[in-house]
């Protein structure tokens, strides 16, 4: 199962967590506005080099607190795929807001699963979409037992997310989509 999203927002196209090769797509993408990485685990960055090679003008964004994961195959969990891979790609630190033409992306630092975990929130008219990586899932949250994980930090991040508009649709790195309002009602980690 892929952890990747292709988001078409306004006139912009983004790849979020490039875990599938661009060559595997059966359609062409004319241009890519940005490559957004929610955190530095292998299953979320596996094909970042290929995406950037195909779309060299598209900036790559990843929080610098996850740089250690790029240089350590054990820390980035590539061993779970039966290999030991490190990465050396250039990326920019996502500031609080990223602007791509008419599209504004709010970057929310949500440490806990990793130190550099972030969520990317897009607003289009009245609609809000947030890509949460492994910070929050429908009915659960990301694990905190790997390098850089912290349960206390994750609970602080969940509290931050719970203050966002309840109609915000979330797209986790694994599993089904949901809304913040639904998670507040049914996710036991939002009640803590």
């Amino acid at each position: 199962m892929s952890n990747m999203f292709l988001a078409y927002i306004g006139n912009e196209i983004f790849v979020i967590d490039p875990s599938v090769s661009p060559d595997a797509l059966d359609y062409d993408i004319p241009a890519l506005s940005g490559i957004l990485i929610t955190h530095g685990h292998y299953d979320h960055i596996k094909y970042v080099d290929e995406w950037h090679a195909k779309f060299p003008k598209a900036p790559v964004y990843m929080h610098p607190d996850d740089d250690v994961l790029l240089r350590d195959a054990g820390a980035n969990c590539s061993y779970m795929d039966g290999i030991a891979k490190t990465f050396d790609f250039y990326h920019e630190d996502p500031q609080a807001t990223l602007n791509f033409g008419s599209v504004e992306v709010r970057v929310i630092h949500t440490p806990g699963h990793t130190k550099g975990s972030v969520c990317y929130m897009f607003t289009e008219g009245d609609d809000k979409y947030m890509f949460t990586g492994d910070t929050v899932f429908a009915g659960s949250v990301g694990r905190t037992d790997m390098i850089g994980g912290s349960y206390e930090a994750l609970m602080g991040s969940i509290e931050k997310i719970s203050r966002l508009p309840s109609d915000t649709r979330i797209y986790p790195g694994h599993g089904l989509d949901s809304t913040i309002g639904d998670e507040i009602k049914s996710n036991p980690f939002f009640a803590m």
Side-chain angles (χ1 to χ4, degrees):
M1 180 178 213
S2 170
N3 311 318
M4 185 179 93
F5 290 94
L6 278 174
Y8 293 73
I9 310 289
N11 294 323
E12 309 296 327
I13 303 172
F14 304 89
V15 64
I16 298 136
D17 291 344
S19 64
V20 173
S21 169
D23 297 332
L25 300 180
D26 57 2
Y27 54 90
D28 288 329
I29 297 172
L32 194 63
S33 301
I35 300 168
L36 310 178
I37 298 173
T38 61
H39 66 287
H41 284 153
Y42 180 70
D43 60 331
H44 292 261
I45 62 174
K46 187 175 186 176
Y47 288 100
V48 66
D49 293 327
E50 289 84 347
W51 279 94
H52 195 251
K54 188 165 186 165
F55 298 99
K57 292 184 180 179
V60 178
Y61 292 94
M62 187 181 90
H63 198 284
D65 284 354
D66 273 2
D67 281 354
V68 66
L69 303 181
L70 302 181
R71 297 183 299 277
D72 184 330
N76 70 34
C77 302
S78 56
Y79 66 88
M80 292 180 174
D81 212 21
I83 63 168
K85 183 169 181 179
T86 58
F87 294 84
D88 187 25
F89 59 84
Y90 173 78
H91 63 88
E92 298 182 35
D93 178 8
Q95 302 302 311
T97 303
L98 304 173
N99 291 295
F100 301 92
S102 63
V103 175
E104 185 175 279
V105 181
R106 182 175 170 196
V107 181
I108 304 166
H109 185 211
T110 54
H113 179 62
T114 67
K115 287 183 180 181
S117 289
V118 297
C119 296
Y120 294 100
M121 185 167 172
F122 294 79
T123 302
E124 184 179 27
D126 291 336
D127 297 324
K128 294 166 221 49
Y129 314 94
M130 187 163 65
F131 297 88
T132 61
D134 288 0
T135 297
V136 62
F137 306 123
S140 192
V141 295
R143 57 191 290 185
T144 59
D145 61 333
M146 295 183 284
I147 292 172
S150 164
Y151 183 79
E152 292 76 22
L154 183 61
M155 289 303 97
S157 294
I158 295 303
E159 191 210 334
K160 187 187 304 184
I161 289 170
S162 72
R163 293 192 305 259
L164 297 171
S166 64
D167 61 342
T168 302
R169 180 142 300 279
I170 64 166
Y171 295 95
H174 306 271
L176 303 173
D177 62 307
S178 184
T179 65
I180 291 175
D182 287 341
E183 294 311 300
I184 290 170
K185 290 177 197 169
S186 63
N187 188 326
F189 292 94
F190 277 72
M192 300 181 135

